[in-house]
Amino acid sequence: QIESSYTSLSKLSASHDHKPRVMLNTPYRDSWFLPSKNSYMVQLIEQAGGNTFTAEGEGNSSAPIDIEQAILYATQSDIWLNPSGCNSIAELVRLNPKFADTPPITNVKVWNNNARQTPMGGSDFWESGVVRPDIILQDLAKILHPEIMPAHNLYYHKQLR
């Protein structure tokens, strides 16, 4: 059932002509880590009908990029996903005031994958999401193409305000 649900939604989502541009993550110390094009997260976003800025190179690991390059990508993005531990747009802007003028911030199009946390602060996205990629894909499809999933309530993700 999980595979069938995932495959059906992937075909529907990926068939959209409009593919929102997605920014991922936030800076860590003086670097911003972006996943490579073969990473799990990038594959999910593409199968949900989006385009993601990625690190150069093959493989499935993340690589650092300069903060300046990341800010440029953020200004070219429609949506921002998984900004680390941020729980509000204000927190995200406090990390770097230059974020305030980016389209995902001004249009309130920022979601984090920390809607479900354990009492110790762990993310259920990384715990149960690995065995329920269909639910992650449903969340991403709802975020990227809300008209596809009008009745879906986000499970792992929450919109930041």
Side-chain angles (χ1 to χ4, degrees):
Q1 179 184 1
I2 293 171
E3 180 181 5
S4 175
S5 170
Y6 187 97
T7 302
S8 297
L9 182 54
S10 177
K11 287 178 184 174
L12 178 64
S13 299
S15 69
H16 265 264
D17 289 333
H18 173 65
K19 309 255 187 244
R21 292 166 300 187
V22 178
M23 185 64 189
L24 288 168
N25 305 331
T26 53
Y28 177 74
R29 296 196 177 147
D30 292 331
S31 294
W32 194 301
F33 289 85
L34 283 184
S36 68
K37 63 183 177 180
N38 294 322
S39 78
Y40 174 71
M41 200 66 221
V42 170
Q43 296 299 311
L44 282 164
I45 291 167
E46 287 179 357
Q47 291 171 359
N51 284 323
T52 307
F53 294 99
T54 60
E56 292 184 25
E58 297 298 320
N60 61 6
S61 60
S62 295
I65 61 170
D66 293 332
I67 297 292
E68 293 78 17
Q69 183 65 50
I71 292 171
L72 177 63
Y73 287 162
T75 65
Q76 298 170 355
S77 296
D78 302 303
I79 292 171
W80 196 329
L81 292 176
N82 309 339
S84 297
C86 294
N87 288 301
S88 70
I89 287 180
E91 283 182 58
L92 187 54
V93 171
R94 274 195 299 272
L95 289 175
N96 190 321
K98 292 179 182 178
F99 297 157
D101 295 326
T102 63
I105 300 290
T106 59
N107 297 323
V108 193
K109 301 274 187 170
V110 182
W111 286 265
N112 208 345
N113 61 359
N114 62 355
R116 298 172 49 89
Q117 292 185 305
T118 66
M120 299 299 290
S123 174
D124 192 35
F125 178 88
W126 299 110
E127 298 290 329
S128 69
V130 296
V131 294
R132 291 307 308 261
D134 58 322
I135 297 174
I136 295 174
L137 191 66
Q138 289 169 12
D139 276 8
L140 294 174
K142 173 76 173 194
I143 292 166
L144 298 172
H145 301 287
E147 69 282 358
I148 292 176
M149 305 287 294
H152 177 71
N153 293 317
L154 296 176
Y155 188 80
Y156 291 112
H157 293 81
K158 65 180 178 184
Q159 187 171 14
L160 302 189
R161 305 267 179 209

